[in-house]
Amino acid sequence: MQSFPRLGSVNAALVAVYFAPVWGGDALRALTSPFYGFDDRVHAVAVGYFRALLDLHLDGLVQLSNLLAGTKLVLAIGFLAFLIDFVRALVVGREVDRATLDTVLVVSVIALMLWAGPALCTGDPGLVRIHVTQYLLLSSAMIVILIERQIEESRSAVETPIASATRQCRSRSADNPAVPYCG
C-alpha cells in the first residue's frame, strides 16, 4: 500500500485537469452551437479537412462535425474518469488504475492527431501552437510514466534475486542449525 501517489500519476492528473474542461467545453459548444461548431476555428478546420477528404455534402458535414465533437466529449469524460480514480486512489492510499491511465493517454494522443493534422496543413501559427502545446502536455505525461515504470521494473528485477537468496539462506539455517545464518 502506498501513502503518496507516484510522479507520473500526479503529472497525468495535472494534464487531465487541463484537458477535461478544455476539451469538454469545446465539445459542448460544438454540439450545442446553432452553427454545429463551425464558429470555432480549430473545429472548423478539422471538419473542413475531412469533408474535402471524404467528399461529403452538407448532411455529411453536419454529421462529421457532431462525430468529432462527440469524440472530444468522450475523451474529456475519460480524463474526468481518470481524475475521479486518482482522487479515490489518493484518499484510500492505493495506486491509480494503470489501465484507465494508459487508455486515456493513448487514445487522447491518437485523437489529437484528428485535429492537429488538418491544423498543421493550414500553416496557421495560432492553430499549430495550440496543438503542439496539447501534444507536448500529453507526450510529457506519457514519457514520465514510461520512465517511472522502467525504473520500477529494474528495481523489482534486482530485488527478486536478492530476496530469493535471502529466503533460501534462512530456510537452510532453520532446517540445519549447524549451517550459519547468512542474512
Side-chain angles (χ1 to χ4, degrees):
M1 187 174 343
Q2 190 172 337
S3 62
F4 57 92
R6 297 187 180 274
L7 178 63
S9 300
V10 173
N11 190 4
L14 292 174
V15 168
V17 165
Y18 169 78
F19 278 106
V22 170
W23 279 7
D26 288 348
L28 286 176
R29 274 191 301 278
L31 287 171
T32 59
S33 168
F35 304 110
Y36 301 102
F38 296 120
D39 49 349
D40 179 26
R41 178 104 172 103
V42 173
H43 191 74
V45 166
V47 171
Y49 175 81
F50 288 113
R51 185 203 70 67
L53 184 69
L54 301 172
D55 193 30
L56 298 174
H57 297 291
L58 183 59
D59 290 337
L61 181 69
V62 170
Q63 289 175 353
L64 179 66
S65 174
N66 289 335
L67 178 71
L68 287 176
T71 303
K72 227 177 208 184
L73 184 62
V74 167
L75 290 171
I77 291 169
F79 278 115
L80 193 59
F82 169 72
L83 280 174
I84 291 169
D85 184 46
F86 178 77
V87 171
R88 285 181 61 200
L90 192 63
V91 170
V92 174
R94 63 171 173 82
E95 291 205 29
V96 177
D97 183 31
R98 283 186 171 188
T100 304
L101 176 59
D102 294 345
T103 303
V104 168
L105 288 176
V106 169
V107 172
S108 302
V109 168
I110 293 169
L112 181 62
M113 291 300 116
L114 289 174
W115 289 273
L120 292 173
C121 289
T122 64
D124 183 6
L127 292 177
V128 171
R129 189 175 307 119
I130 289 170
H131 288 84
V132 167
T133 303
Q134 291 178 349
Y135 183 75
L136 285 174
L137 280 170
L138 288 171
S139 62
S140 67
M142 292 173 78
I143 289 169
V144 169
I145 290 168
L146 180 68
I147 291 172
E148 187 176 75
R149 288 182 184 170
Q150 289 292 330
I151 291 171
E152 180 182 315
E153 287 176 8
S154 67
R155 280 186 184 163
S156 66
V158 169
E159 291 174 359
T160 303
I162 294 172
S164 66
T166 304
R167 270 188 259 115
Q168 287 175 355
C169 187
R170 286 185 182 161
S171 67
R172 279 188 274 155
S173 299
D175 293 342
N176 187 357
V179 176
Y181 177 73
C182 54

